Amino acid sequence: MVSSAQKRPRKVSSRRGRALVVLLAAFAGFALAACENERNQSQPGDRLEQHACTQDDVGAGFNLQTSGDFSPANLADLGYNAPARLTRFRAAGMTRGHFVYWKEIAGKPPFDPPLDIVCQVMEFQSDAQARTFVENASLHDITSNLIGWLPGSYEATPVEAPGASGSNRTFTLSGDGEAGPVTVAGVVMADGRYVRIVSLGGPGTAPNSIRAEAVQQRIAARAR
């Protein structure tokens, strides 16, 4: 459970204040380069991809935008002091990852800003390493690994949710992005040797963690 000291929002300054589209485009490039890495291309039934969200998980009102693989080095490069981040990822036992980006289909105007959902999964060498990564990491360390969301500075706040534990953590973050205020709700969960992060939100949206938790539970039921 989250202690009372951890419940206070934390203001974080991030030097990776890049727009969502830039970050996702970078990871799309990693996906296109997959044929040159050791994994080559995604294989049918790959356990890693089974832990990323599908159309059924997010719902019919969303379109797939992009998806791809990433390495610990790719993820480290998106943050400040990449060599130190990479060292931590390797020490934690992270081996590879995958992400999927979905965007809500806009209705007829006037309409609310469409919701974005990013599901990312990181594989570790063991179940224990995955649990340790989630349980021992600070909230800032977890949110700093989000693909595509972070504005230049933001406040990250833990959220108490029913059934939450050290290996199942819920959070919100808010800040000012290039397109205006950004609000994101997310759930990070250790499941076997995998760590899944489901985050949803975007500029001008008001997401809630219950919806992120629902996506997590659908993935968990399917991935068993």
Side-chain angles (χ1 to χ4, degrees):
M1 297 298 293
V2 179
S3 70
S4 58
Q6 291 174 306
K7 294 177 186 176
R8 294 192 296 269
R10 181 180 178 185
K11 184 77 173 208
V12 179
S13 294
S14 169
R15 292 183 61 182
R16 78 165 199 180
R18 285 175 270 181
L20 171 65
V21 65
V22 174
L23 289 169
L24 292 174
F27 274 90
F30 300 151
L32 291 175
C35 59
E36 299 177 3
N37 66 25
E38 62 182 13
R39 188 179 177 210
N40 293 322
Q41 58 188 357
S42 301
Q43 300 296 324
D46 190 316
R47 287 288 295 165
L48 182 70
E49 292 193 16
Q50 289 178 15
H51 283 265
C53 50
T54 65
Q55 185 81 69
D56 289 340
D57 298 325
V58 301
F62 287 81
N63 281 335
L64 176 64
Q65 300 299 297
T66 188
S67 64
D69 299 338
F70 59 88
S71 68
N74 296 149
L75 195 59
D77 284 343
L78 292 183
Y80 174 65
N81 198 351
R85 283 165 55 86
L86 179 57
T87 297
R88 291 198 299 271
F89 290 155
R90 287 176 171 167
M94 187 190 305
T95 59
R96 59 177 184 158
H98 185 77
F99 82 99
V100 184
Y101 167 40
W102 299 86
K103 179 176 285 291
E104 189 174 24
I105 301 170
K108 295 181 179 180
F111 48 77
D112 293 331
L115 190 68
D116 291 331
I117 298 180
V118 177
C119 300
Q120 64 188 92
V121 55
M122 296 170 284
E123 184 177 18
F124 289 75
Q125 293 175 0
S126 70
D127 296 8
Q129 287 174 317
R131 287 195 306 271
T132 299
F133 183 83
V134 175
E135 293 173 357
N136 294 351
S138 69
L139 184 58
H140 173 234
D141 285 342
I142 289 175
T143 57
S144 69
N145 295 320
L146 296 180
I147 294 175
W149 289 117
L150 299 186
S153 63
Y154 61 92
E155 289 185 351
T157 308
V159 176
E160 287 194 7
S165 65
S167 56
N168 182 358
R169 298 170 64 180
T170 304
F171 62 88
T172 61
L173 66 84
S174 58
D176 292 320
E178 294 183 0
V182 176
T183 305
V184 177
V187 178
V188 55
M189 177 183 296
D191 188 349
R193 69 177 186 273
Y194 301 96
V195 171
R196 290 193 306 269
I197 305 177
V198 174
S199 51
L200 53 87
T205 62
N208 62 71
S209 57
I210 294 176
R211 192 166 183 179
E213 176 66 26
V215 175
Q216 273 279 21
Q217 293 303 322
R218 284 192 284 270
I219 300 171
R222 174 176 50 76
R224 286 192 181 97

